[in-house]
Amino acid sequence: QVQLTEFGGGSVEAGGSLRISCAAAGNTWAIGAVTWFRQAPGEEREGVAVIYRDDSATLYADAVKGRFTISEDIAHELVYLQMNDLKPEDTATYYCAAGSSIVNGLWMVEFEYQYWGQGTQVTVSS
């Protein structure tokens, strides 16, 4: 089993920055990729960014390209999401998810992930 815990959410004004973190524990050797998802009220959960363990390759949703950066500190089992130039539409609960084997073309598919955190709220005011 893998346990994921997100932290670092909060409120920020539009144009501001925030970094959220995901801490992994347990059988972390099983992790092939970690992805940040988000879900706004009344909306479906969507993939934001993924980082692959084997080569640190990253992919981003079009809505956040150039503004968000995903990175990891494997030694400390942490994955970060640095969010810059935040917009009100970025307001959501952000979840980290981990999977053992995630195909590039399916990284946004939540059913590919076996492990999920409880989420952290990010609120961007205009």
Side-chain angles (χ1 to χ4, degrees):
Q1 291 292 319
V2 174
Q3 296 81 43
L4 302 173
T5 305
E6 305 94 336
F7 54 97
S11 298
V12 65
E13 292 186 352
S17 297
L18 200 63
R19 188 178 79 165
I20 56 178
S21 305
C22 172
N27 296 330
T28 57
W29 53 266
I31 296 175
V34 176
T35 294
W36 284 99
F37 285 82
R38 67 184 182 186
Q39 187 169 24
E43 302 290 332
E44 292 187 355
R45 192 151 49 183
E46 62 178 357
V48 174
V50 62
I51 187 163
Y52 288 89
R53 281 277 166 109
D54 56 354
D55 59 1
S56 297
T58 58
L59 294 169
Y60 296 90
D62 288 344
V64 306
K65 277 181 183 176
R67 300 188 299 122
F68 289 14
T69 302
I70 188 170
S71 61
E72 64 181 347
D73 176 354
I74 294 179
H76 296 94
E77 295 294 357
L78 291 166
V79 174
Y80 305 106
L81 186 68
Q82 176 66 44
M83 304 180 288
N84 298 328
D85 190 22
L86 282 161
K87 304 176 181 180
E89 51 264 42
D90 294 318
T91 295
T93 300
Y94 284 71
Y95 301 88
C96 66
S100 299
S101 179
I102 308 297
V103 176
N104 278 1
L106 297 178
W107 73 270
M108 287 186 174
V109 178
E110 56 185 287
F111 298 111
E112 293 289 317
Y113 297 85
Q114 295 84 34
Y115 309 106
W116 291 83
Q118 80 290 347
T120 187
Q121 179 66 36
V122 172
T123 301
V124 185
S125 59
S126 57

